């Protein structure tokens, strides 16, 4: 074998051992050798290296069957950290996440929807410093930052191509934030970040084929296929908001007619409600529904129909193992779940229905922050 | 390295060398060494083995720059064959395909839509024998059979779960055909077979992300993602025929309302036409359009609208590099292309439109036979 191949294999073995300890801890060296098929000597060498680098520690002794004491291994959550950032129209959220995926600290501040790009970046930088300081995380343990935001994101070049919600166009977000904070920065669409969290510790755990649908001020979806984010040719795969349901329907701000978003986004619900009543927020519509006002029932009834149709259509195209429904509409108006489920039952094609699990996200408002931090860890952590 | 790893690597190297000769022939041993980074000795050993096995032959001598003669290598198409079968409502097509993907012989016979399963199998077996006999292909050179057919196919167990067009349900097609013919048999949905042909020698050649849409008596799509067939959880990914466009629309035979198929399938066009005129075939509708009858223009105009919508929606979800439109409606009524293109221009979301190539299949009626044979080769060929 070439020397380079040997180095590569060494690295892969080390990654594998660490991954096994992370997944199955507490675990003994012996068991790792069994699972991997590597020799006890190799395992001992790798574990020693990982121990020196701070990734692994020894935990309690347990008595194995034959009376010998076995030392068990565990990973150290505090060996490194990444920071997750969620940017939205009117809120900025930042969380520090440790190596084993725990949010050790999280804070949010409001954002003015009309606020300038530089101003938002300043807020992010300050909040990040504050958070790091108050939690006493040493800067050298932070390997990078992940940012999730709505819009079309060129994740490879770190550029926000367009974000209607933030009113940004062609901004070099990753580079600018890197300059301000000193950390390496990875950016991506918020739902793509969120599904990473679902895939690692949420409802799509251990799922090879999963879809996450987001229903709120924007409408979109993200897809895990064969265990990886599926992006399509220009990172736009999953843009269900602009699938057309009715060629004679509502005009959409994208210039087409009958896009799904024009039936189920918060903006659509609000603007329809205003045809009836002088309403200022989506919560008022939900409250009107709760107090039995027929116009609100009509509008939200139609919303649930189109959400169920969207789910049905996604299932026909992707045939996933699990579909996770998330977003502020579902969070703030959980009553809609029952209507969605009833209609899903009617609208989903039988051969697909048999196989799929339809579930709701329970990562709630921390999903994007967690996913962004985990994705930063995935892409930035390089074992020496 | 373990002995098993060594054997595996030897096999991979051999496959790689053969693939390079197949792709880049005529090619010299020297060039193969350059491309692969393997030593000239290794290349010579592998080429000798491939030569003995009948895969590779030497072609003409060419004079290289410095006056030396170089021997070039080529693959032998006739080293092995697979057989591709297309089964449809009213036709059975069989083709013999050689190692380099050429159809060396192809024949079809009609099928009675009411014909029994056993009868169809008998016809397939006889036609296959006839074809093999008349082309003098030795049985031992045929490594297997691929069958493409409409419906939900359990390709792993070789079972047709349900095919509305053939009126089959839970038949063990692969095992039954294997028993009758003596060949190993692989089965799959016809569009999945067809996209294999597109990916190897058609409009999706060298494409990593491609979608094939089929518009005819059935409506469906097949997807290549990251260079492989994407199947979903139960091999049903791409079932666009049952995506719902209008929750107040036409009743579909699947029990839902407003499925895409109820607007654009041949059956839908026919049954709408019969509301106006006593029509017996889809060709009559096309001819009425050609002679300017307004009812036919109305119906086909609407068909083109919904086809464009379907294309737009597929693009939003998969964001592919290329979408290939195929099927009997497009083949027999090419006038519809112009209308589809005009509407695609209106209906496709800008950020997606920039990136995608919309093309028409030119494999025509041989696509399924070719793809089924190539897929049989892909899955059954094991280099010793």
């Amino acid at each position: 074998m070439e020397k380079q191949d040997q180095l590569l294999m060494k690295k892969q073995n080390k990654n594998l051992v660490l991954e096994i300890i992370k997944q199955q801890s507490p675990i003994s060296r012996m068991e790792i050798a069994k699972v991997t098929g590597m020799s006890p000597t190799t395992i001992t060498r790798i574990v020693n290296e990982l121990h020196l680098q701070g990734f692994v520690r020894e935990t309690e002794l347990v008595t194995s069957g034959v009376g010998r004491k076995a030392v068990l291994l565990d990973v150290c959550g505090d060996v490194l950290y990444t920071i997750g950032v969620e940017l939205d129209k009117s809120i900025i959220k930042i969380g520090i996440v440790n190596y084993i995926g725990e949010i050790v600290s999280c804070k949010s501040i409001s954002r003015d929807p009309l606020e300038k790009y530089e101003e938002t970046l300043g807020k992010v930088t300050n909040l990040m410093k504050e958070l790091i300081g108050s939690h006493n995380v040493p800067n050298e343990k932070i390997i990078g930052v992940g940012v999730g935001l709505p819009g079309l994101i060129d994740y490879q070049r770190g550029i926000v191509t367009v974000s209607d919600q933030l009113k940004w166009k062609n901004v070099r977000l990753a580079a600018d934030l890197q300059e301000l904070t000193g950390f390496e920065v990875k950016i991506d669409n918020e739902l793509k970040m969120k599904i990473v969290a679902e895939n690692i510790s949420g409802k799509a755990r251990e799922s090879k084929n999963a879809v996450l649908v987001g229903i709120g001020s924007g409408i979109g979806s993200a897809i895990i296929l064969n265990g990886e984010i599926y992006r399509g040719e220009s990172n736009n795969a999953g843009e269900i908001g602009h699938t057309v349901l009715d060629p004679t329907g509502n005009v959409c701000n994208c210039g087409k007619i009958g896009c799904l978003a024009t039936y189920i986004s918060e903006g659509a619900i609000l603007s329809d409600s205003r045809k009836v009543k002088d309403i200022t927020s989506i919560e008022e519509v939900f409250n009107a529904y709760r107090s039995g006002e027929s116009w609100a029932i009509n509008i939200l009834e139609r919303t649930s129909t189109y959400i169920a149709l969207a789910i049905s259509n996604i299932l026909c195209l992707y045939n996933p193992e699990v579909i996770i429904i998330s977003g502020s509409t579902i969070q703030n108006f959980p009553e809609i779940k029952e209507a969605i489920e009833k209609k899903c039952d009617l609208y989903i094609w039988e051969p697909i229905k048999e196989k799929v699990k339809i579930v709701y996200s329970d990562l709630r408002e921390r999903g994007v922050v967690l996913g962004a931090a985990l994705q930063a860890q995935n892409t930035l952590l390089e074992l020496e």
Side-chain angles (χ1 to χ4, degrees), chain A:
Chain A
M1 241 196 314
E2 304 265 326
K3 183 132 195 244
Q4 266 193 325
D5 293 340
Q6 278 182 24
L7 286 176
L8 182 69
M9 192 167 273
K10 266 195 170 173
K11 210 162 160 180
Q12 284 173 342
N13 286 344
K14 193 167 175 181
N15 266 308
L16 180 66
V17 169
L18 182 54
E19 204 47 46
I20 286 168
I21 302 174
K22 204 172 177 186
Q23 301 291 338
Q24 307 188 16
S25 66
I27 184 169
S28 70
R29 288 174 178 81
M30 201 69 122
E31 282 171 280
I32 302 172
K34 241 189 255 167
V35 175
T36 58
M38 297 179 210
S39 72
T41 329
T42 309
I43 299 295
T44 302
R45 177 183 54 76
I46 293 176
V47 168
N48 284 348
E49 280 177 33
L50 288 170
H51 182 71
L52 273 173
Q53 288 175 305
F55 282 97
V56 165
R57 64 169 176 232
E58 297 189 336
T59 62
E60 78 275 42
L61 293 172
V62 292
T63 312
S64 68
V66 288
R68 281 184 55 202
K69 299 262 182 181
V71 181
L72 296 187
L73 301 169
D74 200 354
V75 284
C76 307
D78 62 357
V79 60
L80 57 86
Y81 298 85
T82 50
I83 296 177
V85 179
E86 175 179 9
L87 299 177
D88 213 336
K89 200 169 162 178
S90 49
I91 198 160
I92 297 169
K93 275 182 226 165
I94 305 190
I96 302 180
V97 174
N98 70 12
Y99 176 57
I100 55 175
E102 292 165 344
I103 299 181
V104 296
S105 183
C106 190
K107 242 183 175 171
S108 53
I109 46 169
S110 65
R111 175 181 180 273
D112 181 345
L114 300 173
E115 179 174 300
K116 281 211 177 117
Y117 175 64
E118 290 74 19
E119 212 174 321
T120 302
L121 291 197
K123 279 188 180 173
V124 170
T125 312
N126 291 334
L127 184 59
M128 203 181 287
K129 275 186 191 151
E130 193 188 315
L131 210 60
I132 294 169
S134 70
H135 195 75
N136 274 329
V137 176
N139 263 3
E140 61 275 15
K141 280 200 172 187
I142 298 171
I143 63 167
V145 174
V147 184
L149 70 166
L152 302 182
I153 315 296
D154 181 343
Y155 77 104
Q156 286 167 312
R157 298 195 299 152
I159 291 172
V160 180
T161 310
V162 58
S163 172
D164 286 340
Q165 267 130 313
L166 296 165
K167 311 245 176 280
W168 293 350
K169 213 172 167 171
N170 287 319
V171 292
R172 295 159 37 88
L173 178 60
D176 292 338
L177 205 57
Q178 189 154 333
E179 204 173 56
L180 285 166
T181 64
F183 297 122
E184 200 162 342
V185 178
K186 297 286 175 185
I187 69 173
D188 212 334
N189 175 279
E190 53 174 357
L191 288 175
K192 294 205 166 63
M193 291 300 198
K194 204 169 177 180
I195 203 169
V196 171
E198 297 287 357
N199 199 216
I200 291 179
S201 60
K203 290 286 181 75
R205 208 174 158 179
E206 284 166 27
S207 169
K208 286 263 167 209
N209 299 324
V211 179
L212 173 76
V213 185
I215 299 160
S217 59
I219 304 297
S221 71
I223 308 117
I224 295 274
L225 295 186
N226 301 323
E228 286 182 23
I229 297 180
Y230 175 66
R231 300 179 176 278
E233 227 14 53
S234 47
N235 204 24
N236 295 329
E239 280 292 351
I240 50 160
H242 294 288
T243 54
V244 174
L245 284 178
D246 181 358
T248 63
N250 301 330
V251 174
C252 180
N253 60 12
C254 77
K256 295 192 296 158
I257 288 171
C259 291
L260 175 65
T262 70
Y263 296 91
I264 64 175
S265 73
E266 282 185 2
I269 297 172
L270 262 178
S271 95
D272 274 339
S273 300
R274 284 185 185 133
K275 290 175 187 162
V276 188
K277 218 171 170 178
D278 192 14
I279 289 283
T280 58
S281 77
I282 191 84
E283 280 69 34
E284 287 177 58
V285 187
F286 297 155
N287 287 333
Y289 175 98
R290 286 170 187 135
S291 42
E293 295 185 40
S294 64
W295 63 270
I297 296 175
N298 277 335
I299 289 174
L300 291 168
E301 183 66 20
R302 194 182 67 171
T303 303
S304 69
T305 297
Y306 280 98
I307 291 176
L309 281 187
I311 292 171
S312 159
N313 290 350
I314 286 174
L315 295 181
C316 268
L317 268 80
Y318 290 122
N319 188 197
E321 187 183 346
V322 57
I323 182 166
I324 305 166
I325 306 169
S326 77
S328 55
T329 303
I330 312 290
Q331 255 176 60
N332 301 327
F333 184 56
E335 294 93 329
I336 203 169
K337 289 182 187 176
E338 200 185 324
I340 294 174
E341 281 156 25
K342 246 190 214 154
K343 284 168 188 168
C344 274
D345 217 45
L346 292 177
Y347 297 160
I348 298 171
W349 195 45
E350 283 302 331
I352 301 261
K353 192 156 60 179
E354 292 167 5
K355 293 283 177 181
V356 73
K357 284 187 296 244
I358 302 177
V359 298
Y360 300 94
S361 174
D362 52 17
L363 296 175
R364 301 184 64 90
E365 53 284 316
R366 288 179 161 199
V368 178
V369 163
L370 178 61
L374 290 171
Q375 181 69 350
Q377 196 198 105
N378 285 345
T379 50
L380 295 172
L381 176 58
E382 273 270 356
L383 270 190
E384 291 300 314

